[in-house]
Amino acid sequence: MESGLTMKRFNFKRRKLFAGPHLLGSLLIVAGLVALVSPLVMEEQASLEKLYGVGVGALLLGLLIVTTYKGTLIDITGGKWKTYVSVCGFKFGEWASLPGIHTVKVIATTYLQTNTPNGISPTLTGSVTEFVLAMCGSDATPLFSFIYTNRTRAVEQAKRLAFNLGANLDIPERA
């Protein structure tokens, strides 16, 4: 049928590169690069061995943090799924049989988000809309749910999953 919808695996990664621990990893990478480049810019460094050690250490720790995340992997052709933790590209988790998926739907949710005042960053409040891709069994109970910030991406993935799993597709106009 539609070759653009065909997929063998669905991989949902739960990570944000510029929030939480991944922000720390990104900052450590930048700090490591600055430490490694600083002898070229500045004169009279204390000890090049210490400087390179700190630079390489920060760079490696930052890369480890940035490449560590959680996710869900669904093997459509194999009829199995797993939640995993990925460390440097290696996914650790136990496979389980994929339950019967009857419906794939997208649900829009809007809520008010306020960051915690900390005296450093501004306290911002705003309305946030997220799109939940829910995979339901025959009794309409969500078996899997994945949160997207982009409606187009959520709808695209819902169509692909419904097509490949032979499930019904439920996307309201306002979702």
Side-chain angles (χ1 to χ4, degrees), residues 15 63-70 84-92:
R15 73 173 172 184
L63 286 171
L64 178 67
I65 292 170
V66 166
T67 61
T68 301
Y69 59 90
K70 294 181 180 180
Y84 65 85
V85 174
S86 177
V87 180
C88 296
F90 295 100
K91 295 175 178 67
F92 301 96

Coordinates of all heavy atoms in Angstrom, one line a residue, residues 15 63-70 84-92:
R15 N 14.2 12.0 25.9 CA 15.3 12.8 26.2 C 15.1 14.2 25.7 O 14.5 14.4 24.6 CB 16.6 12.3 25.8 CG 16.9 12.3 24.3 CD 18.3 11.8 24.0 NE 18.5 11.7 22.6 CZ 19.6 11.3 22.1 NH1 20.6 10.9 22.8 NH2 19.7 11.2 20.8
L63 N 29.9 13.4 27.3 CA 29.4 12.5 26.2 C 28.6 11.3 26.8 O 27.6 10.9 26.2 CB 30.5 12.0 25.4 CG 31.1 13.0 24.4 CD1 32.4 12.5 23.8 CD2 30.1 13.4 23.3
L64 N 29.1 10.8 27.9 CA 28.4 9.7 28.6 C 27.0 10.2 29.0 O 26.0 9.5 28.8 CB 29.2 9.2 29.8 CG 28.5 8.1 30.6 CD1 28.4 6.8 29.7 CD2 29.3 7.8 31.9
I65 N 26.9 11.4 29.6 CA 25.6 11.9 30.1 C 24.6 12.1 28.9 O 23.5 11.8 28.9 CB 25.8 13.1 30.9 CG1 26.5 12.8 32.3 CG2 24.4 13.8 31.2 CD1 26.9 14.0 33.1
V66 N 25.1 12.7 27.8 CA 24.3 13.1 26.7 C 23.8 11.8 26.0 O 22.7 11.8 25.5 CB 25.1 14.0 25.7 CG1 24.4 14.1 24.4 CG2 25.2 15.4 26.3
T67 N 24.6 10.8 25.9 CA 24.2 9.6 25.2 C 23.4 8.6 26.1 O 23.1 7.5 25.6 CB 25.4 8.8 24.6 OG1 26.3 8.5 25.7 CG2 26.2 9.7 23.6
T68 N 23.1 8.9 27.3 CA 22.3 8.1 28.2 C 20.9 8.6 28.3 O 20.7 9.8 28.6 CB 23.0 8.0 29.6 OG1 24.3 7.5 29.5 CG2 22.2 7.2 30.5
Y69 N 19.9 7.8 28.0 CA 18.5 8.2 28.0 C 17.7 7.0 28.1 O 18.1 5.8 27.9 CB 18.2 9.0 26.7 CG 18.4 8.3 25.4 CD1 17.4 7.5 24.9 CD2 19.6 8.3 24.8 CE1 17.6 6.8 23.7 CE2 19.9 7.7 23.6 CZ 18.9 6.9 23.1 OH 19.1 6.2 21.9
K70 N 16.4 7.2 28.3 CA 15.4 6.1 28.3 C 14.5 6.1 27.1 O 14.4 7.1 26.4 CB 14.5 6.2 29.6 CG 15.3 6.0 30.9 CD 14.3 6.1 32.1 CE 15.1 5.9 33.4 NZ 14.2 6.0 34.5
Y84 N 13.7 0.6 27.7 CA 15.2 0.4 27.8 C 15.8 1.7 28.3 O 15.3 2.8 28.4 CB 15.8 0.1 26.4 CG 15.6 1.2 25.4 CD1 16.6 2.2 25.3 CD2 14.6 1.2 24.5 CE1 16.4 3.2 24.4 CE2 14.4 2.2 23.5 CZ 15.4 3.2 23.5 OH 15.2 4.2 22.6
V85 N 17.1 1.5 28.7 CA 18.0 2.6 29.1 C 19.1 2.4 28.1 O 19.8 1.4 27.9 CB 18.5 2.5 30.5 CG1 19.6 3.5 30.8 CG2 17.4 2.6 31.5
S86 N 19.4 3.5 27.3 CA 20.5 3.5 26.3 C 21.7 4.2 26.9 O 21.6 5.3 27.4 CB 20.0 4.2 25.1 OG 21.1 4.2 24.1
V87 N 22.8 3.5 26.9 CA 24.1 4.1 27.3 C 25.1 3.9 26.2 O 25.4 2.8 25.8 CB 24.6 3.4 28.6 CG1 25.9 4.0 29.0 CG2 23.6 3.4 29.7
C88 N 25.5 5.1 25.6 CA 26.4 5.1 24.5 C 25.9 4.2 23.3 O 26.7 3.5 22.7 CB 27.8 4.7 24.9 SG 28.6 5.8 26.1
G89 N 24.6 4.2 23.1 CA 24.1 3.5 22.0 C 23.7 2.0 22.3 O 23.0 1.4 21.5
F90 N 24.0 1.5 23.4 CA 23.7 0.1 23.8 C 22.4 0.2 24.6 O 22.3 0.9 25.7 CB 24.8 -0.5 24.6 CG 26.0 -0.7 23.8 CD1 27.1 0.1 24.0 CD2 26.1 -1.8 22.9 CE1 28.3 0.0 23.2 CE2 27.3 -2.0 22.2 CZ 28.4 -1.1 22.3
K91 N 21.4 -0.5 24.2 CA 20.0 -0.5 24.8 C 19.9 -1.7 25.7 O 20.0 -2.8 25.3 CB 18.9 -0.5 23.7 CG 19.0 0.8 22.9 CD 17.9 0.7 21.8 CE 17.9 2.0 21.0 NZ 19.1 2.3 20.2
F92 N 19.7 -1.4 27.0 CA 19.5 -2.4 28.0 C 18.0 -2.5 28.4 O 17.4 -1.5 28.9 CB 20.4 -2.1 29.3 CG 21.8 -2.1 28.9 CD1 22.4 -0.8 28.7 CD2 22.6 -3.2 28.8 CE1 23.8 -0.7 28.4 CE2 23.9 -3.1 28.5 CZ 24.5 -1.9 28.3

